[in-house]
Amino acid sequence: MPANFYSSELLSSYVFLTIPGDYRFEALALDGSISGGFDLTIPQGGLPGVFNNADPAIHMSFPSQFQQGFLGSIYLMGDHFIEGAQLIVQVPNLPPVTVPLTYINSRTLSWTISAPLPGSISIQVVNPDLRTSSPITLTFQGSPTVNTGVFPRPTVAFGPSLLSAPFVGSSHIYGQDFLPGAIIEWKDLSSNQVTLTPAGYLSNQELLWTLVYPAPGQYELVVVNPDNQRSTPLTVDVQ
C-alpha cells in the first residue's frame, strides 16, 4: 500500500481494517530494503454495518462510451459498495494497478481518469472487507489526440534515482503540472526499449508509480500528460 513520506522518521498510510486479526506493517524503501515490523491486533467487534453479506457488483458505467484522450470522472453504478472501496485496473500486458475511488453512496462510485491511448481495460471494485466485484471491460475508441499547449508542460523535480535489483514496489514522483491520467514512459538506455506504465494521480505535484522487477541497467523516466506534453527525462540507475 502507498505511504506518505514526511521525514526519515515519520511515514503515514491510510488503512481501513475491517477484519479482526493480527497485522504486521513493514516499510519498503526505494532500494528494496525492508524495515522491522510493527504489529497491530484488531479485536473482534467494531462499528455495526461495516460488513455486508454480498459482493460488490458493477452494473454499468457512465459515460458508457469513451474516446481516446478522455479526461474526467467515470461513474460506476451497482450495488453493495462500501466507503473506502478501491478499483483494480488491469491494462493488457501490464501488472494490475489499484487506484482510489470517490464514494458517493452504496450504489455509486466515481473514478477520475484520462485515457491517452485507445484500447480496452478491465476493472473490478474491491471493498475494504476484501469482497471483490466481477470484472467489467471499458473500451476507449481512437480519436484525434488532444492539442498540446492547453496545459503547462509537466516537470519532474524529484523521483527515484537509484534502485537495487530485484525491486518491486511503488515510488513517488514529485514535480508540477501533472494531470490525471498521466503515464510513465520507461526507457532502457541499453536497448532503447520503451515501456508505458500507468501512474496513480495523487495531486498535480505528486504521482505514485509501481515498478516490478526491472533488470539492472540505466533507464530514463518521462512523465507524459494526457495532452501528450512530456517532462524532461529523469535518469534512473538500477543496480
Side-chain angles (χ1 to χ4, degrees), residues 72-96:
S73 294
I74 296 176
Y75 293 91
L76 305 176
M77 274 74 85
D79 290 304
H80 309 300
F81 301 143
I82 297 178
E83 188 166 2
Q86 294 183 306
L87 196 67
I88 301 174
V89 182
Q90 178 67 67
V91 179
N93 302 317
L94 292 176

Side-chain angles (χ1 to χ4, degrees), residues 151-158 173-179 182 201 203-207 223 225 229-232:
F151 298 100
R153 179 183 178 183
T155 300
V156 175
F158 178 77
I173 299 172
Y174 301 94
Q176 59 186 16
D177 299 318
F178 301 143
L179 293 178
Y201 180 83
S203 74
N204 66 342
Q205 297 181 347
E206 184 177 3
L207 300 174
V223 174
N225 270 346
Q229 295 205 81
R230 303 161 56 87
S231 70
T232 56

